[in-house]
């Protein structure tokens, strides 16, 4: 992470942030930086950071400081960041305001990655509540984003009185037209701090959700969401389905991250889950990797032995690697991979333990099904899975049997001549190199950065 790399402050953690990919950059927005030698005080991240996915010379993408956000642009905690790569834009919505009262008009903020500028879009209006800790994803080829559940309260909504309230519905946002739609959620029990991922199957794709915490009618009376309970939304039909997953079902958890890789033949879709905090109880959390393979709805344990790790992000790159970034380590006070800004790379195609956590490879663009998966669901590296869940709704079985051809959409704008300027690596921007630097100079840089991270209430 940023301060860790400079080695000015001890043991910082970047948590509660959002991440999304546009082109060859993975952007990081918002969240807390937690610094152990300052009484574990949380400071909000005032930069929009990015990883250069085209640069793997140090076995991990180089982090760059894209832009210092204007004070009018909020830096939110546990919000959403959606990507419209076709038009080179990011959209930030939802989350908690750590340093100020929520504004009267909680609008969407859009970042133009071609020109490095922020724009405040029209407010969605009072009928759209902006939650924190919701489950969200975007579907690039449709130009739409989805946000399910989450909570609202005094930290998210101006004038809110009383306790936080857990939501059960799903918001659908059109990133091209800046329009909103409320849709129903999958269950009577509202939910938060789980996951929502896009799976390329059916007529227009499916959304898959699991994990986190259920709420009793929206109240603060929480119960664990069993990881065997999976909700599926058919985008084309606008209908929710429920499915029961079996196999090596992971323990209930929250604040984990997940990403999807699909077999070359489209016959299976594998959701890789990493880490998470305990849903309830005194456990420290999890540092493992599980795979939920669809349409068999079979859980497979893929990796064990990592330190407990939660409140982080997972981003699948080129359907073959998953960058795991940031997070809170409840059992550790040391820096997390300072030379790589707290980033780790999971090779989704690995067939040996030694090949699972390896350096990032910008040229790796092809996914093959690992043997540990095909041994369970049948088939081979290219797909041809034979195991199907016998408990699926018949309509859902049909949707999973249809190969999805994603349509390319035309951009609605073009880059200006000065757009897409080359950004410098963060180490160069700050005049530093990996693990090197003059102590006095580091102290000055550290002081500058310290001012940039506003103290949270």
């Amino acid at each position: 992470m940023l301060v860790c790399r400079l080695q000015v402050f001890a043991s910082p953690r970047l948590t509660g942030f959002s991440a999304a990919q546009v082109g060859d950059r993975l952007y990081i927005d918002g969240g807390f930086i937690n610094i152990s030698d300052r009484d574990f005080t949380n400071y909000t991240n005032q930069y929009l950071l990015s990883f250069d996915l085209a640069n793997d010379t140090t076995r991990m993408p180089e982090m760059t400081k894209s832009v210092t956000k204007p004070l009018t642009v909020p830096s939110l905690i546990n919000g959403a960041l959606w990507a419209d790569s076709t038009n080179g834009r990011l959209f930030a919505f939802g989350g908690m305001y750590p340093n100020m009262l929520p504004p009267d008009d909680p609008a969407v903020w859009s970042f133009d990655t071609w020109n490095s500028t922020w724009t405040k879009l029209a407010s969605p209006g009072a009928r759209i509540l902006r939650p924190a800790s919701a489950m969200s994803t975007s579907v690039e080829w449709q130009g739409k984003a989805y946000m399910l559940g989450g909570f609202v309260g005094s930290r998210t909504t101006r004038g809110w009185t009383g306790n936080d309230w857990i939501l059960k519905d799903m918001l659908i946002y059109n990133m091209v037209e800046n329009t909103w739609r409320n849709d129903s959620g999958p269950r009577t029990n509202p939910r938060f701090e789980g996951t929502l991922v896009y799976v390329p199957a059916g007529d227009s794709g499916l959304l898959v959700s699991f994990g986190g915490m259920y709420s009793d009618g929206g109240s603060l009376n929480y119960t664990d969401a069993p990881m065997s309970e999976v909700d599926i939304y058919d985008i084309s039909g606008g209908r929710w389905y429920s499915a029961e997953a079996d196999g090596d079902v992971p323990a209930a958890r929250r604040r984990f991250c997940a990403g999807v890789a699909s077999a070359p033949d489209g016959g299976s879709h594998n959701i890789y889950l990493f880490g998470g905090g305990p849903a309830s109880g005194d456990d420290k959390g999890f540092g493992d990797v599980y795979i939920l393979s669809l349409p068999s709805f079979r859980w497979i344990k893929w990796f064990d032995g990592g330190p407990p790790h939660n409140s982080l992000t997972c981003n699948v790159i080129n359907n073959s690697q998953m960058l795991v970034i940031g997070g809170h380590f409840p059992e550790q006070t040391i820096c997390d991979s300072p030379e790589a800004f707290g980033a780790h790379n999971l090779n989704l195609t690995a067939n040996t333990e030694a090949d699972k956590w390896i350096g990032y490879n910008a040229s790796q663009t092809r996914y093959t099904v690992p043997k540990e998966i095909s041994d369970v669901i049948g088939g081979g590296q290219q797909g041809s899975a034979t195991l199907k869940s016998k408990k699926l709704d018949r309509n859902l079985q049909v949707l999973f049997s249809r190969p999805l051809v994603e349509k390319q959409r035309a951009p609605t704008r073009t880059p200006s001549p000065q757009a897409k300027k080359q950004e410098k690596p963060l180490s160069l921007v700050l005049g530093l190199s990996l693990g090197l630097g003059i102590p006095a100079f580091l102290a000055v840089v550290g002081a500058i950065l310290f001012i940039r991270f506003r103290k949270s209430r």
Side-chain angles (χ1 to χ4, degrees):
M1 293 140 205
L2 177 61
V3 181
C4 232
R5 176 95 172 249
L6 300 180
Q7 313 224 339
V8 176
F9 302 130
S11 310
R13 303 288 183 218
L14 182 61
T15 63
F17 59 95
S18 306
Q21 180 184 353
V22 172
D24 61 2
R25 293 195 177 276
L26 178 64
Y27 290 87
I28 303 295
D29 183 52
F32 281 131
I33 284 185
N34 182 280
I35 305 169
S36 65
D37 68 349
R38 294 185 180 273
D39 301 322
F40 295 99
T41 299
N42 285 328
Y43 296 86
T44 51
N45 171 28
Q46 289 299 291
Y47 287 103
L48 179 69
L49 306 171
S50 69
F51 284 89
D52 182 1
L53 300 177
N55 184 354
D56 60 3
T57 56
T58 59
R59 293 181 57 80
M60 202 60 67
E62 188 76 35
M63 180 182 273
T64 64
K65 179 177 68 65
S66 298
V67 64
T68 303
K69 295 165 67 173
L71 293 178
T72 53
V73 182
S75 291
L76 302 174
I77 310 302
N78 295 333
L81 188 66
W82 300 315
D84 177 6
S85 293
T86 301
N87 290 303
R89 301 179 74 184
L90 292 166
F91 298 85
F93 185 74
M96 296 180 288
Y97 288 79
N99 311 295
M100 56 181 285
L101 288 174
D104 291 325
D105 56 343
V108 177
W109 283 88
S110 177
F111 180 71
D112 181 346
T113 66
W114 296 342
N115 298 291
S116 295
T117 56
W118 286 92
T119 302
K120 183 180 180 181
L121 304 180
S123 172
R127 64 188 181 87
I128 300 295
L129 294 175
R130 48 173 318 282
S133 298
M135 298 156 286
S136 71
T137 190
S138 60
V139 183
E140 162 62 28
W141 70 277
Q142 297 177 0
K144 293 182 179 179
Y146 301 83
M147 177 175 275
L148 173 65
F151 74 86
V152 292
S154 59
R155 294 166 292 176
T156 70
T157 307
R158 187 69 170 260
W160 187 275
T161 58
N163 294 329
D164 293 344
W165 191 255
I166 317 303
L167 305 178
K168 67 177 181 179
D169 292 338
M170 183 168 68
L171 298 175
I172 302 175
Y173 177 58
N174 188 314
M175 294 182 285
V176 178
E177 300 175 359
N178 187 36
T179 57
W180 291 87
R181 180 164 66 89
N182 264 312
D183 206 342
S184 61
R187 297 175 181 269
T188 56
N189 286 336
R191 187 151 51 100
F192 68 110
E193 294 186 346
T195 194
L196 182 70
V197 296
Y198 164 74
V199 173
D203 297 319
S204 298
L206 305 173
L207 303 180
V208 178
S209 181
F210 53 82
M213 302 291 290
Y214 289 141
S215 166
D216 182 8
S219 71
L220 299 183
N221 183 21
Y222 306 144
T223 57
D224 303 350
M227 301 293 278
S228 59
E229 296 182 358
V230 183
D231 298 310
I232 306 97
Y233 180 78
D234 173 24
I235 294 176
S236 177
R239 176 183 173 185
W240 284 98
Y241 298 87
S242 296
E244 181 181 351
D246 55 18
D248 198 352
V249 181
R253 61 192 66 195
R254 64 203 294 190
R255 299 178 183 175
F256 55 90
C257 64
V260 181
S262 298
D265 70 350
S268 65
H269 309 276
N270 301 309
I271 303 174
Y272 291 73
L273 172 157
F274 178 77
S280 59
D282 297 326
D283 292 337
K284 296 295 184 181
F286 310 94
D288 46 25
V289 177
Y290 281 85
I291 297 168
L292 176 61
S293 187
L294 309 176
S296 65
F297 285 84
R298 180 64 60 89
W299 279 106
I300 301 165
K301 189 169 188 176
W302 206 53
F303 172 80
D304 194 9
H309 196 177
N310 68 74
S311 303
L312 65 170
T313 61
C314 290
N315 290 85
V316 173
I317 311 299
N318 292 327
N319 197 46
S320 60
Q321 301 171 94
M322 187 166 77
L323 287 175
V324 179
I325 301 173
H328 170 63
F329 291 74
E331 291 186 336
Q332 292 187 348
T333 57
I334 61 173
C335 236
D336 173 35
S337 299
E339 72 285 352
F341 299 102
H344 304 268
N345 186 57
L346 184 65
N347 177 16
L348 306 182
T349 70
N351 284 299
T352 67
E353 286 294 311
D355 289 337
K356 290 179 180 177
W357 295 101
I358 62 174
Y360 171 75
N361 181 358
S363 64
Q364 182 173 323
T365 60
R366 183 170 174 267
Y367 178 72
T368 55
V369 181
K371 189 174 185 299
E372 287 178 80
I373 298 179
S374 60
D375 283 349
V376 175
I377 67 173
Q381 289 186 331
Q382 301 304 308
S384 302
T386 57
L387 183 65
K388 311 292 182 183
S389 174
K390 298 179 181 179
K391 304 176 183 178
L392 286 188
D393 181 283
R394 188 173 184 84
N395 291 331
L396 198 55
Q397 294 179 24
V398 173
L399 289 170
F400 272 109
S401 70
R402 293 177 180 168
L404 175 61
V405 179
E406 298 179 348
K407 301 177 182 178
Q408 289 189 342
R409 59 189 175 95
T412 56
R413 69 189 195 112
T414 56
S416 59
Q418 70 272 23
K420 298 186 177 180
K421 294 177 289 185
Q422 183 66 36
E423 297 178 5
K424 296 180 181 180
L426 185 62
S427 57
L428 295 179
V429 172
L430 298 177
L432 299 175
S433 60
L434 287 175
L436 300 176
I438 302 172
F441 178 68
L442 288 177
V444 173
V445 175
I448 295 172
L449 288 174
F450 182 77
I451 295 172
R452 286 290 187 188
F453 298 118
R454 298 181 299 187
K455 188 172 181 179
S456 169
R457 292 197 231 185

